[in-house]
């Protein structure tokens, strides 16, 4: 926020490249209502990290249960925590990669007309690989691709589908709901 407030030209370029035209007013309104202090952002980041760790730990437990791994063969607490942090970092990098992919496809003139199907497939590939790697990291035995690929592909298709159709859903939700909900949904959607 500080960087975007310090350079209004940069803020406009970022919003123009990332936010569809129909959502720009809501995003600008949401950005203008953010507090100037960095404390809420720090609290939000810490909360996000702990929430992410909880989600990945839950996925770790579920994955081990589904794979039928006996408790005595599961990773130790310290190893499990380290692997959970690694998977969270991997998923954060994937989220950044998806954002980069979206911006890159829009900003590079030669790729601006890339069909939606190719964009969707690129997102599926970008999501599939970390899901497979997460299974490798969280299970105490090797997660063979021939066993993991159906679940990883299904998860990748589902997540890419949510991203692909999220803007269509937001376009309908924002006008029908209040400005506060629309701003929140837009920021989450972006």
């Amino acid at each position: 926020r500080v960087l975007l407030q310090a350079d209004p030209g940069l803020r406009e370029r970022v919003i123009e490249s990332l936010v569809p035209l129909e959502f720009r007013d809501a995003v600008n309104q949401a950005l203008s209502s953010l507090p100037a202090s960095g404390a809420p952002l720090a609290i939000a980041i810490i909360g996000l990290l702990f929430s992410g760790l909880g989600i990945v730990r839950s996925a770790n437990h579920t994955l081990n249960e589904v794979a039928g791994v006996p408790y005595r063969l599961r990773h130790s607490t310290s190893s499990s925590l380290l692997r959970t942090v690694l998977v969270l970092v991997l998923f954060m990098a994937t989220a950044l990669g998806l954002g980069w992919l979206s911006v890159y496809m829009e900003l590079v003139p030669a790729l601006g007309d890339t069909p939606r199907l190719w964009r969707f497939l690129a997102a599926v590939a970008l999501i599939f690989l970390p899901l497979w790697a997460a299974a490798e990291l969280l299970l105490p035995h090797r997660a063979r691709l021939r066993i993991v690929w159906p679940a990883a592909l299904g998860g990748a298709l589902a997540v890419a589908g949510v991203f692909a159709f999220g803007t269509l859903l937001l376009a309908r939700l924002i006008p029908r709901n209040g400005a506060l909900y629309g701003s929140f949904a837009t920021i989450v959607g972006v």
Side-chain angles (χ1 to χ4, degrees):
R1 171 172 157 80
V2 173
L3 178 66
L4 293 179
Q5 278 185 338
D7 188 352
L10 175 64
R11 179 178 60 210
E12 275 304 310
R13 287 193 309 270
V14 167
I15 290 174
E16 284 178 13
S17 65
L18 289 177
V19 181
L21 184 61
E22 62 267 16
F23 303 140
R24 288 186 188 154
D25 289 337
V27 169
N28 283 324
Q29 182 181 0
L31 283 174
S32 66
S33 67
L34 289 174
S37 169
L41 178 62
I43 292 169
I45 289 173
I46 290 169
L48 179 66
L49 289 174
F50 278 110
S51 297
L53 285 173
I55 291 168
V56 175
R57 290 210 31 110
S58 176
N60 182 13
H61 178 74
T62 302
L63 189 60
N64 279 290
E65 286 291 323
V66 169
V69 178
Y71 284 102
R72 60 181 161 56
L73 297 180
R74 295 182 184 187
H75 294 293
S76 66
T77 303
S78 59
S79 175
S80 177
L81 184 59
L82 177 65
R83 289 166 182 270
T84 300
V85 169
L86 287 173
V87 169
L88 182 60
V89 168
L90 180 66
F91 287 164
M92 291 173 136
T94 302
L96 288 174
L98 286 169
W100 176 84
L101 178 69
S102 175
V103 170
Y104 184 74
M105 292 273 197
E106 290 296 324
L107 292 181
V108 175
L111 297 176
D113 296 330
T114 304
R116 285 186 184 264
L117 177 62
W118 289 111
R119 292 178 188 202
F120 178 76
L121 292 175
V124 167
L126 191 60
I127 297 166
F128 173 84
L129 294 172
L131 289 175
W132 176 36
E136 283 282 338
L137 283 168
L138 296 177
L139 287 173
H141 55 76
R142 185 154 165 73
R144 304 209 183 279
L145 181 60
R146 64 183 162 84
I147 295 172
V148 175
W149 79 263
L153 182 61
L157 286 168
V159 171
V162 167
F163 287 149
F165 299 113
T167 56
L168 299 174
L169 182 61
L170 282 176
R172 291 179 182 229
L173 289 177
I174 289 175
R176 289 193 323 204
N177 296 298
L180 178 64
Y181 177 78
S183 300
F184 176 74
T186 302
I187 296 299
V188 170
V190 169

